[in-house]
Amino acid sequence: MAAALVPLLGACSRDKTSVTFEPRKILAGPTPKNGGSHILTFGDDGITFLLDGAPFQIRSGEMHPARIPREYWRHRIQMAKAMGMNTIAVYVMWNFHETAAGKFDFESDERDVETFMQLCQDEGMWVLLRPGPYICGEWDLGGIPSRLLAHDDIQLRVGSHRDPRFMEAARQYIAELVPRVRPLMSANGGPILLIQIENEYATYGDDVAYLEEIRRAWVDGGITGPFFTDDGVKQLRENRTALDGCAIGLSGPKAHDIDLIREEFPGSTVMGGEVYPGFFTHWGDRKFQGDDSDISRELSDFMRYGLSFSIYVIHGGTSFGFTAGANRDHKTGDYQPDITSYDYFAPIDEQGRAAASFTRYRDLIQAHLSEPLPPVPAAPPTIELAGDHSLRPFLFASLWDNLPAPIATSDAPRPMEMHGQQAGFVLYRHADIGGAGGPLSAGDVHDYATVFVDTEYAGGMTRAKMPRYLAEGLRVVSSTEHVTLPTGGKVLDVLVEGMGRVNYGDDLIDRKGINGDVTVGAKPLREWTTYALPMDAEYITSLRQVCTNPARPGLFFKAALMLDQVGDTFLDMRGWIKGIVWVNGRNRCGWPYRHSASTRH
């Protein structure tokens, strides 16, 4: 339900954790279903948004259409509304929509963001649009297309004055979005209240001219705002990346942070841009992150004072396919790929069910509203399959019998981006190592390699940490160490899996495959043949049912399941070690090794 705000008496005393604004009463306001033009402007007190001239509290819950099966879009929006939200925050992932250089898809399946936003409007919900070009979001390369990494010296998240190639690509992306976004702006009768300029840029840099150039791309397309930015409190204070005329969203704020920033940036309107109900989880984490989080205090303060906020995320969904990103630990430098579940311990869980926190937060918000919230939608049906319904996979094919034509030959292995490949696996083959054995080292393996000599498995290398018992059993070493090759061999194969590009911080240049020489002993090997294995739908559907060597890792298994009812279910992969699952030809999830973190289902 939309809301307006009426100030009441009762200012609070001021200390480092208190606020200077007053409690407010929240009243009903306009919704995008009212039709006609609606104008959002900023008040003069640093915290008030005005919708059609009346005070308006934005209560937003973030969810990403790319992470939710399209059939469930409306249900998830209704769930957010039932928890007390009046707005949905939406990331648009640039690299999800630009499927090849200059080729955009905004229509198919989960890429149809226009329909998602129209569903928000149908349900009486406003939209905060967060189109990047960089989003972070635990998404591969923060949403930036990996094709840009084909340039050896590319700079990302910079203006034309530093690297015109990045900005030219970003402007082309925004130009593709503009005609889709313009009719959906609230001033044109649509649901979009605000558009974000980039995301958390203060964590990365301080070049305000870059942010201004992003804003100019929208203005040149005829969309003049309103706009907002989003940053952590500490980073914003240090790098001063607020833009004149833009609202300021804060990551992980409490009420006193909003008060602090409105004083430090006079003339701006401040809101809680990302309020975290949980957190994301890396492969190998000992527990599901965020299970001890509780934002009741923050929500209580936001509701009491009528502060605008967005819960990141109210529903996370799943990073399907190869879309999950990764981090680099800022202390150790360790590579930390994200799991495919983006459950986030959000109040609406990965399947779309109300978690325990959902009811707690809904009751808290309802206590401050004058009209009742809509009923909570029923949870999606779940079916449990066992006994005769258990899957019995059979060996279907071998990767080695389904190699495509090679894509390149080169002196040294080159990462997949240099060959135009976005994700999946890449195979590097040396036709004749002349019987050389001993220690094999590969420069900068990104991210998991299996090594074969004359079809025999020799060991593996991993950039991500791996449980010791599994690493020893599989003869897998750190990517900075070496694999011992047997003597007398001829053909050397190094099969490398990319496990998600870094999406946050200063390490965004994260090319997949091998980023340097491969040596046996101290001698670099030359003359490599490269095979692209993107593991996309085209490759999977073209697999030939043949396996000449079932003992060689790199196998595809297949299973069929007959259903007499429709519902959600879950695959239990705890008995498996490493791999990917396709359902009806679509890459739905992956797992790096058993006993890593799993969802709360």
Side-chain angles (χ1 to χ4, degrees), residues 157-163 166-167 171 197-198 201 205-217 229 239-244:
R157 303 180 73 185
V158 297
S160 297
H161 57 293
R162 290 183 55 188
D163 197 325
F166 175 79
M167 185 53 66
R171 288 186 68 97
I197 302 299
E198 235 256 7
Y201 180 68
D206 59 4
D207 186 1
V208 175
Y210 162 61
L211 299 179
E212 289 286 9
E213 197 166 1
I214 295 294
R215 174 161 62 175
R216 172 54 54 185
T229 59
N239 287 331
R240 318 298 292 184
T241 52
L243 293 180
D244 291 342

PDB file of all heavy atoms in Angstrom, residues 157-163 166-167 171 197-198 201 205-217 229 239-244:
ATOM      1  N   ARG A 157      34.398   0.685 -15.258  1.00  0.00           N
ATOM      2  CA  ARG A 157      33.781   1.682 -14.382  1.00  0.00           C
ATOM      3  C   ARG A 157      34.557   3.000 -14.423  1.00  0.00           C
ATOM      4  O   ARG A 157      34.857   3.600 -13.393  1.00  0.00           O
ATOM      5  CB  ARG A 157      33.679   1.150 -12.944  1.00  0.00           C
ATOM      6  CG  ARG A 157      32.922  -0.149 -12.806  1.00  0.00           C
ATOM      7  CD  ARG A 157      32.853  -0.614 -11.381  1.00  0.00           C
ATOM      8  NE  ARG A 157      31.924   0.200 -10.587  1.00  0.00           N
ATOM      9  CZ  ARG A 157      31.735   0.066  -9.275  1.00  0.00           C
ATOM     10  NH1 ARG A 157      32.435  -0.847  -8.614  1.00  0.00           N
ATOM     11  NH2 ARG A 157      30.879   0.825  -8.639  1.00  0.00           N
ATOM     12  N   VAL A 158      34.858   3.434 -15.637  1.00  0.00           N
ATOM     13  CA  VAL A 158      35.561   4.700 -15.823  1.00  0.00           C
ATOM     14  C   VAL A 158      34.889   5.483 -16.953  1.00  0.00           C
ATOM     15  O   VAL A 158      34.217   4.911 -17.818  1.00  0.00           O
ATOM     16  CB  VAL A 158      37.053   4.500 -16.156  1.00  0.00           C
ATOM     17  CG1 VAL A 158      37.780   3.821 -15.000  1.00  0.00           C
ATOM     18  CG2 VAL A 158      37.232   3.696 -17.440  1.00  0.00           C
ATOM     19  N   GLY A 159      35.113   6.798 -16.941  1.00  0.00           N
ATOM     20  CA  GLY A 159      34.544   7.660 -17.956  1.00  0.00           C
ATOM     21  C   GLY A 159      35.349   7.675 -19.242  1.00  0.00           C
ATOM     22  O   GLY A 159      36.423   7.062 -19.349  1.00  0.00           O
ATOM     23  N   SER A 160      34.839   8.389 -20.224  1.00  0.00           N
ATOM     24  CA  SER A 160      35.483   8.457 -21.535  1.00  0.00           C
ATOM     25  C   SER A 160      36.890   9.010 -21.455  1.00  0.00           C
ATOM     26  O   SER A 160      37.751   8.668 -22.274  1.00  0.00           O
ATOM     27  CB  SER A 160      34.648   9.322 -22.479  1.00  0.00           C
ATOM     28  OG  SER A 160      33.378   8.755 -22.688  1.00  0.00           O
ATOM     29  N   HIS A 161      37.139   9.872 -20.481  1.00  0.00           N
ATOM     30  CA  HIS A 161      38.456  10.483 -20.364  1.00  0.00           C
ATOM     31  C   HIS A 161      39.518   9.481 -19.936  1.00  0.00           C
ATOM     32  O   HIS A 161      40.714   9.742 -20.100  1.00  0.00           O
ATOM     33  CB  HIS A 161      38.409  11.646 -19.368  1.00  0.00           C
ATOM     34  CG  HIS A 161      37.928  11.268 -17.994  1.00  0.00           C
ATOM     35  ND1 HIS A 161      36.635  10.858 -17.763  1.00  0.00           N
ATOM     36  CD2 HIS A 161      38.560  11.226 -16.801  1.00  0.00           C
ATOM     37  CE1 HIS A 161      36.482  10.590 -16.472  1.00  0.00           C
ATOM     38  NE2 HIS A 161      37.638  10.800 -15.865  1.00  0.00           N
ATOM     39  N   ARG A 162      39.095   8.320 -19.408  1.00  0.00           N
ATOM     40  CA  ARG A 162      40.065   7.300 -18.995  1.00  0.00           C
ATOM     41  C   ARG A 162      40.049   6.079 -19.898  1.00  0.00           C
ATOM     42  O   ARG A 162      41.093   5.478 -20.143  1.00  0.00           O
ATOM     43  CB  ARG A 162      39.796   6.889 -17.546  1.00  0.00           C
ATOM     44  CG  ARG A 162      40.156   7.993 -16.550  1.00  0.00           C
ATOM     45  CD  ARG A 162      39.945   7.552 -15.122  1.00  0.00           C
ATOM     46  NE  ARG A 162      40.666   6.324 -14.803  1.00  0.00           N
ATOM     47  CZ  ARG A 162      40.509   5.649 -13.655  1.00  0.00           C
ATOM     48  NH1 ARG A 162      39.660   6.109 -12.739  1.00  0.00           N
ATOM     49  NH2 ARG A 162      41.193   4.553 -13.428  1.00  0.00           N
ATOM     50  N   ASP A 163      38.873   5.654 -20.365  1.00  0.00           N
ATOM     51  CA  ASP A 163      38.799   4.550 -21.317  1.00  0.00           C
ATOM     52  C   ASP A 163      37.499   4.668 -22.110  1.00  0.00           C
ATOM     53  O   ASP A 163      36.435   4.234 -21.646  1.00  0.00           O
ATOM     54  CB  ASP A 163      38.868   3.196 -20.616  1.00  0.00           C
ATOM     55  CG  ASP A 163      39.198   2.057 -21.593  1.00  0.00           C
ATOM     56  OD1 ASP A 163      38.741   2.128 -22.754  1.00  0.00           O
ATOM     57  OD2 ASP A 163      39.920   1.123 -21.214  1.00  0.00           O
ATOM     58  N   PHE A 166      35.017   1.473 -22.620  1.00  0.00           N
ATOM     59  CA  PHE A 166      34.008   1.096 -21.632  1.00  0.00           C
ATOM     60  C   PHE A 166      32.794   2.002 -21.722  1.00  0.00           C
ATOM     61  O   PHE A 166      31.651   1.528 -21.761  1.00  0.00           O
ATOM     62  CB  PHE A 166      34.583   1.151 -20.215  1.00  0.00           C
ATOM     63  CG  PHE A 166      33.544   0.877 -19.157  1.00  0.00           C
ATOM     64  CD1 PHE A 166      33.153  -0.421 -18.879  1.00  0.00           C
ATOM     65  CD2 PHE A 166      32.927   1.915 -18.473  1.00  0.00           C
ATOM     66  CE1 PHE A 166      32.165  -0.680 -17.932  1.00  0.00           C
ATOM     67  CE2 PHE A 166      31.945   1.661 -17.520  1.00  0.00           C
ATOM     68  CZ  PHE A 166      31.572   0.364 -17.247  1.00  0.00           C
ATOM     69  N   MET A 167      33.013   3.300 -21.767  1.00  0.00           N
ATOM     70  CA  MET A 167      31.875   4.211 -21.767  1.00  0.00           C
ATOM     71  C   MET A 167      31.065   4.111 -23.052  1.00  0.00           C
ATOM     72  O   MET A 167      29.840   4.221 -23.032  1.00  0.00           O
ATOM     73  CB  MET A 167      32.351   5.645 -21.535  1.00  0.00           C
ATOM     74  CG  MET A 167      31.216   6.658 -21.406  1.00  0.00           C
ATOM     75  SD  MET A 167      29.945   6.230 -20.167  1.00  0.00           S
ATOM     76  CE  MET A 167      30.914   6.357 -18.657  1.00  0.00           C
ATOM     77  N   ARG A 171      27.176   3.382 -22.872  1.00  0.00           N
ATOM     78  CA  ARG A 171      26.191   4.284 -23.493  1.00  0.00           C
ATOM     79  C   ARG A 171      25.305   3.523 -24.487  1.00  0.00           C
ATOM     80  O   ARG A 171      24.104   3.802 -24.589  1.00  0.00           O
ATOM     81  CB  ARG A 171      26.894   5.445 -24.182  1.00  0.00           C
ATOM     82  CG  ARG A 171      27.508   6.476 -23.227  1.00  0.00           C
ATOM     83  CD  ARG A 171      28.047   7.668 -24.004  1.00  0.00           C
ATOM     84  NE  ARG A 171      26.954   8.426 -24.605  1.00  0.00           N
ATOM     85  CZ  ARG A 171      26.403   9.524 -24.069  1.00  0.00           C
ATOM     86  NH1 ARG A 171      26.843   9.980 -22.908  1.00  0.00           N
ATOM     87  NH2 ARG A 171      25.423  10.149 -24.679  1.00  0.00           N
ATOM     88  N   ILE A 197      21.970   5.701 -10.617  1.00  0.00           N
ATOM     89  CA  ILE A 197      23.179   5.943 -11.408  1.00  0.00           C
ATOM     90  C   ILE A 197      24.289   5.041 -10.870  1.00  0.00           C
ATOM     91  O   ILE A 197      24.790   5.256  -9.780  1.00  0.00           O
ATOM     92  CB  ILE A 197      23.609   7.420 -11.319  1.00  0.00           C
ATOM     93  CG1 ILE A 197      22.482   8.345 -11.791  1.00  0.00           C
ATOM     94  CG2 ILE A 197      24.896   7.655 -12.118  1.00  0.00           C
ATOM     95  CD1 ILE A 197      22.072   8.133 -13.234  1.00  0.00           C
ATOM     96  N   GLU A 198      24.647   4.015 -11.646  1.00  0.00           N
ATOM     97  CA  GLU A 198      25.689   3.061 -11.239  1.00  0.00           C
ATOM     98  C   GLU A 198      25.333   2.422  -9.902  1.00  0.00           C
ATOM     99  O   GLU A 198      24.150   2.345  -9.545  1.00  0.00           O
ATOM    100  CB  GLU A 198      27.049   3.769 -11.202  1.00  0.00           C
ATOM    101  CG  GLU A 198      28.102   3.089 -12.051  1.00  0.00           C
ATOM    102  CD  GLU A 198      29.097   2.291 -11.230  1.00  0.00           C
ATOM    103  OE1 GLU A 198      28.926   2.133 -10.025  1.00  0.00           O
ATOM    104  OE2 GLU A 198      30.071   1.827 -11.818  1.00  0.00           O
ATOM    105  N   TYR A 201      29.526   3.153  -6.097  1.00  0.00           N
ATOM    106  CA  TYR A 201      30.760   3.565  -6.757  1.00  0.00           C
ATOM    107  C   TYR A 201      31.809   4.041  -5.754  1.00  0.00           C
ATOM    108  O   TYR A 201      33.019   3.911  -6.005  1.00  0.00           O
ATOM    109  CB  TYR A 201      30.469   4.669  -7.781  1.00  0.00           C
ATOM    110  CG  TYR A 201      31.706   5.135  -8.497  1.00  0.00           C
ATOM    111  CD1 TYR A 201      32.366   4.292  -9.393  1.00  0.00           C
ATOM    112  CD2 TYR A 201      32.239   6.399  -8.261  1.00  0.00           C
ATOM    113  CE1 TYR A 201      33.525   4.705 -10.045  1.00  0.00           C
ATOM    114  CE2 TYR A 201      33.400   6.816  -8.903  1.00  0.00           C
ATOM    115  CZ  TYR A 201      34.034   5.962  -9.793  1.00  0.00           C
ATOM    116  OH  TYR A 201      35.188   6.369 -10.421  1.00  0.00           O
ATOM    117  N   GLY A 205      35.794   3.968  -6.470  1.00  0.00           N
ATOM    118  CA  GLY A 205      36.521   5.148  -6.920  1.00  0.00           C
ATOM    119  C   GLY A 205      35.884   6.434  -6.441  1.00  0.00           C
ATOM    120  O   GLY A 205      34.934   6.437  -5.657  1.00  0.00           O
ATOM    121  N   ASP A 206      36.415   7.544  -6.940  1.00  0.00           N
ATOM    122  CA  ASP A 206      35.922   8.860  -6.524  1.00  0.00           C
ATOM    123  C   ASP A 206      35.763   9.822  -7.698  1.00  0.00           C
ATOM    124  O   ASP A 206      35.701  11.038  -7.520  1.00  0.00           O
ATOM    125  CB  ASP A 206      36.856   9.475  -5.470  1.00  0.00           C
ATOM    126  CG  ASP A 206      38.287   9.646  -5.981  1.00  0.00           C
ATOM    127  OD1 ASP A 206      38.542   9.351  -7.176  1.00  0.00           O
ATOM    128  OD2 ASP A 206      39.152  10.071  -5.194  1.00  0.00           O
ATOM    129  N   ASP A 207      35.702   9.275  -8.916  1.00  0.00           N
ATOM    130  CA  ASP A 207      35.622  10.100 -10.122  1.00  0.00           C
ATOM    131  C   ASP A 207      34.165  10.465 -10.398  1.00  0.00           C
ATOM    132  O   ASP A 207      33.452   9.760 -11.110  1.00  0.00           O
ATOM    133  CB  ASP A 207      36.232   9.342 -11.301  1.00  0.00           C
ATOM    134  CG  ASP A 207      36.327  10.181 -12.565  1.00  0.00           C
ATOM    135  OD1 ASP A 207      35.936  11.369 -12.521  1.00  0.00           O
ATOM    136  OD2 ASP A 207      36.780   9.658 -13.594  1.00  0.00           O
ATOM    137  N   VAL A 208      33.733  11.592  -9.848  1.00  0.00           N
ATOM    138  CA  VAL A 208      32.347  12.012 -10.011  1.00  0.00           C
ATOM    139  C   VAL A 208      32.031  12.287 -11.481  1.00  0.00           C
ATOM    140  O   VAL A 208      30.884  12.140 -11.927  1.00  0.00           O
ATOM    141  CB  VAL A 208      32.058  13.245  -9.129  1.00  0.00           C
ATOM    142  CG1 VAL A 208      30.648  13.780  -9.374  1.00  0.00           C
ATOM    143  CG2 VAL A 208      32.237  12.894  -7.653  1.00  0.00           C
ATOM    144  N   ALA A 209      33.040  12.655 -12.268  1.00  0.00           N
ATOM    145  CA  ALA A 209      32.818  12.904 -13.693  1.00  0.00           C
ATOM    146  C   ALA A 209      32.303  11.652 -14.393  1.00  0.00           C
ATOM    147  O   ALA A 209      31.510  11.743 -15.347  1.00  0.00           O
ATOM    148  CB  ALA A 209      34.108  13.385 -14.350  1.00  0.00           C
ATOM    149  N   TYR A 210      32.733  10.482 -13.940  1.00  0.00           N
ATOM    150  CA  TYR A 210      32.232   9.219 -14.506  1.00  0.00           C
ATOM    151  C   TYR A 210      30.742   9.074 -14.239  1.00  0.00           C
ATOM    152  O   TYR A 210      29.959   8.734 -15.139  1.00  0.00           O
ATOM    153  CB  TYR A 210      33.013   8.050 -13.918  1.00  0.00           C
ATOM    154  CG  TYR A 210      32.334   6.703 -14.064  1.00  0.00           C
ATOM    155  CD1 TYR A 210      32.053   6.179 -15.317  1.00  0.00           C
ATOM    156  CD2 TYR A 210      31.977   5.952 -12.942  1.00  0.00           C
ATOM    157  CE1 TYR A 210      31.432   4.937 -15.457  1.00  0.00           C
ATOM    158  CE2 TYR A 210      31.368   4.720 -13.075  1.00  0.00           C
ATOM    159  CZ  TYR A 210      31.093   4.221 -14.324  1.00  0.00           C
ATOM    160  OH  TYR A 210      30.480   3.003 -14.460  1.00  0.00           O
ATOM    161  N   LEU A 211      30.332   9.320 -13.002  1.00  0.00           N
ATOM    162  CA  LEU A 211      28.910   9.222 -12.668  1.00  0.00           C
ATOM    163  C   LEU A 211      28.098  10.241 -13.453  1.00  0.00           C
ATOM    164  O   LEU A 211      26.981   9.943 -13.911  1.00  0.00           O
ATOM    165  CB  LEU A 211      28.715   9.427 -11.164  1.00  0.00           C
ATOM    166  CG  LEU A 211      29.400   8.408 -10.242  1.00  0.00           C
ATOM    167  CD1 LEU A 211      29.145   8.766  -8.784  1.00  0.00           C
ATOM    168  CD2 LEU A 211      28.913   6.998 -10.532  1.00  0.00           C
ATOM    169  N   GLU A 212      28.629  11.414 -13.628  1.00  0.00           N
ATOM    170  CA  GLU A 212      27.925  12.435 -14.399  1.00  0.00           C
ATOM    171  C   GLU A 212      27.760  11.995 -15.853  1.00  0.00           C
ATOM    172  O   GLU A 212      26.733  12.267 -16.487  1.00  0.00           O
ATOM    173  CB  GLU A 212      28.681  13.760 -14.340  1.00  0.00           C
ATOM    174  CG  GLU A 212      28.641  14.454 -12.989  1.00  0.00           C
ATOM    175  CD  GLU A 212      27.286  15.101 -12.676  1.00  0.00           C
ATOM    176  OE1 GLU A 212      26.313  14.874 -13.432  1.00  0.00           O
ATOM    177  OE2 GLU A 212      27.211  15.819 -11.664  1.00  0.00           O
ATOM    178  N   GLU A 213      28.744  11.278 -16.381  1.00  0.00           N
ATOM    179  CA  GLU A 213      28.641  10.810 -17.756  1.00  0.00           C
ATOM    180  C   GLU A 213      27.573   9.730 -17.892  1.00  0.00           C
ATOM    181  O   GLU A 213      26.867   9.675 -18.915  1.00  0.00           O
ATOM    182  CB  GLU A 213      30.000  10.297 -18.238  1.00  0.00           C
ATOM    183  CG  GLU A 213      30.087  10.176 -19.735  1.00  0.00           C
ATOM    184  CD  GLU A 213      31.507  10.005 -20.248  1.00  0.00           C
ATOM    185  OE1 GLU A 213      32.448   9.955 -19.431  1.00  0.00           O
ATOM    186  OE2 GLU A 213      31.674   9.900 -21.483  1.00  0.00           O
ATOM    187  N   ILE A 214      27.433   8.889 -16.877  1.00  0.00           N
ATOM    188  CA  ILE A 214      26.346   7.911 -16.888  1.00  0.00           C
ATOM    189  C   ILE A 214      24.999   8.630 -16.861  1.00  0.00           C
ATOM    190  O   ILE A 214      24.080   8.297 -17.622  1.00  0.00           O
ATOM    191  CB  ILE A 214      26.464   6.945 -15.692  1.00  0.00           C
ATOM    192  CG1 ILE A 214      27.722   6.086 -15.794  1.00  0.00           C
ATOM    193  CG2 ILE A 214      25.222   6.057 -15.586  1.00  0.00           C
ATOM    194  CD1 ILE A 214      27.732   5.114 -16.936  1.00  0.00           C
ATOM    195  N   ARG A 215      24.878   9.614 -15.971  1.00  0.00           N
ATOM    196  CA  ARG A 215      23.621  10.366 -15.923  1.00  0.00           C
ATOM    197  C   ARG A 215      23.340  11.041 -17.260  1.00  0.00           C
ATOM    198  O   ARG A 215      22.200  11.044 -17.740  1.00  0.00           O
ATOM    199  CB  ARG A 215      23.649  11.395 -14.797  1.00  0.00           C
ATOM    200  CG  ARG A 215      22.409  12.299 -14.810  1.00  0.00           C
ATOM    201  CD  ARG A 215      22.144  13.005 -13.498  1.00  0.00           C
ATOM    202  NE  ARG A 215      23.196  13.913 -13.073  1.00  0.00           N
ATOM    203  CZ  ARG A 215      23.114  14.704 -11.992  1.00  0.00           C
ATOM    204  NH1 ARG A 215      22.013  14.678 -11.250  1.00  0.00           N
ATOM    205  NH2 ARG A 215      24.115  15.484 -11.651  1.00  0.00           N
ATOM    206  N   ARG A 216      24.378  11.609 -17.882  1.00  0.00           N
ATOM    207  CA  ARG A 216      24.200  12.302 -19.158  1.00  0.00           C
ATOM    208  C   ARG A 216      23.676  11.351 -20.228  1.00  0.00           C
ATOM    209  O   ARG A 216      22.872  11.750 -21.089  1.00  0.00           O
ATOM    210  CB  ARG A 216      25.534  12.926 -19.577  1.00  0.00           C
ATOM    211  CG  ARG A 216      25.569  13.535 -20.988  1.00  0.00           C
ATOM    212  CD  ARG A 216      24.470  14.541 -21.230  1.00  0.00           C
ATOM    213  NE  ARG A 216      24.440  15.606 -20.234  1.00  0.00           N
ATOM    214  CZ  ARG A 216      23.508  16.551 -20.188  1.00  0.00           C
ATOM    215  NH1 ARG A 216      22.496  16.515 -21.061  1.00  0.00           N
ATOM    216  NH2 ARG A 216      23.551  17.483 -19.260  1.00  0.00           N
ATOM    217  N   ALA A 217      24.070  10.068 -20.183  1.00  0.00           N
ATOM    218  CA  ALA A 217      23.581   9.106 -21.167  1.00  0.00           C
ATOM    219  C   ALA A 217      22.063   8.959 -21.078  1.00  0.00           C
ATOM    220  O   ALA A 217      21.376   8.818 -22.102  1.00  0.00           O
ATOM    221  CB  ALA A 217      24.263   7.755 -20.966  1.00  0.00           C
ATOM    222  N   THR A 229      21.752   7.603  -6.162  1.00  0.00           N
ATOM    223  CA  THR A 229      22.953   6.792  -6.052  1.00  0.00           C
ATOM    224  C   THR A 229      22.823   5.934  -4.799  1.00  0.00           C
ATOM    225  O   THR A 229      21.911   6.127  -3.991  1.00  0.00           O
ATOM    226  CB  THR A 229      24.217   7.665  -5.954  1.00  0.00           C
ATOM    227  OG1 THR A 229      24.101   8.525  -4.811  1.00  0.00           O
ATOM    228  CG2 THR A 229      24.401   8.501  -7.221  1.00  0.00           C
ATOM    229  N   ASN A 239      34.840   9.309  -0.174  1.00  0.00           N
ATOM    230  CA  ASN A 239      35.037   9.572  -1.602  1.00  0.00           C
ATOM    231  C   ASN A 239      34.081  10.591  -2.194  1.00  0.00           C
ATOM    232  O   ASN A 239      34.246  10.973  -3.365  1.00  0.00           O
ATOM    233  CB  ASN A 239      34.967   8.256  -2.388  1.00  0.00           C
ATOM    234  CG  ASN A 239      36.196   7.404  -2.170  1.00  0.00           C
ATOM    235  OD1 ASN A 239      37.280   7.903  -1.922  1.00  0.00           O
ATOM    236  ND2 ASN A 239      36.027   6.095  -2.258  1.00  0.00           N
ATOM    237  N   ARG A 240      33.055  11.012  -1.453  1.00  0.00           N
ATOM    238  CA  ARG A 240      32.190  12.140  -1.828  1.00  0.00           C
ATOM    239  C   ARG A 240      31.592  11.960  -3.226  1.00  0.00           C
ATOM    240  O   ARG A 240      31.667  12.833  -4.085  1.00  0.00           O
ATOM    241  CB  ARG A 240      32.967  13.451  -1.763  1.00  0.00           C
ATOM    242  CG  ARG A 240      33.890  13.623  -0.560  1.00  0.00           C
ATOM    243  CD  ARG A 240      33.142  13.618   0.749  1.00  0.00           C
ATOM    244  NE  ARG A 240      32.279  14.775   0.951  1.00  0.00           N
ATOM    245  CZ  ARG A 240      31.599  15.005   2.066  1.00  0.00           C
ATOM    246  NH1 ARG A 240      31.675  14.128   3.079  1.00  0.00           N
ATOM    247  NH2 ARG A 240      30.837  16.059   2.176  1.00  0.00           N
ATOM    248  N   THR A 241      30.964  10.821  -3.459  1.00  0.00           N
ATOM    249  CA  THR A 241      30.438  10.498  -4.784  1.00  0.00           C
ATOM    250  C   THR A 241      28.948  10.808  -4.932  1.00  0.00           C
ATOM    251  O   THR A 241      28.307  10.289  -5.833  1.00  0.00           O
ATOM    252  CB  THR A 241      30.696   9.020  -5.115  1.00  0.00           C
ATOM    253  OG1 THR A 241      30.221   8.207  -4.045  1.00  0.00           O
ATOM    254  CG2 THR A 241      32.172   8.765  -5.326  1.00  0.00           C
ATOM    255  N   ALA A 242      28.401  11.630  -4.048  1.00  0.00           N
ATOM    256  CA  ALA A 242      27.012  12.066  -4.222  1.00  0.00           C
ATOM    257  C   ALA A 242      26.934  13.018  -5.414  1.00  0.00           C
ATOM    258  O   ALA A 242      27.869  13.785  -5.687  1.00  0.00           O
ATOM    259  CB  ALA A 242      26.516  12.747  -2.960  1.00  0.00           C
ATOM    260  N   LEU A 243      25.833  12.970  -6.138  1.00  0.00           N
ATOM    261  CA  LEU A 243      25.620  13.841  -7.292  1.00  0.00           C
ATOM    262  C   LEU A 243      24.574  14.891  -6.978  1.00  0.00           C
ATOM    263  O   LEU A 243      23.539  14.590  -6.373  1.00  0.00           O
ATOM    264  CB  LEU A 243      25.160  13.021  -8.499  1.00  0.00           C
ATOM    265  CG  LEU A 243      26.159  12.030  -9.112  1.00  0.00           C
ATOM    266  CD1 LEU A 243      25.513  11.309 -10.286  1.00  0.00           C
ATOM    267  CD2 LEU A 243      27.415  12.750  -9.563  1.00  0.00           C
ATOM    268  N   ASP A 244      24.826  16.103  -7.405  1.00  0.00           N
ATOM    269  CA  ASP A 244      23.839  17.172  -7.224  1.00  0.00           C
ATOM    270  C   ASP A 244      22.526  16.785  -7.894  1.00  0.00           C
ATOM    271  O   ASP A 244      22.517  16.300  -9.028  1.00  0.00           O
ATOM    272  CB  ASP A 244      24.356  18.481  -7.824  1.00  0.00           C
ATOM    273  CG  ASP A 244      25.518  19.070  -7.044  1.00  0.00           C
ATOM    274  OD1 ASP A 244      25.701  18.679  -5.883  1.00  0.00           O
ATOM    275  OD2 ASP A 244      26.247  19.919  -7.619  1.00  0.00           O
TER     276      ASP A 244
END
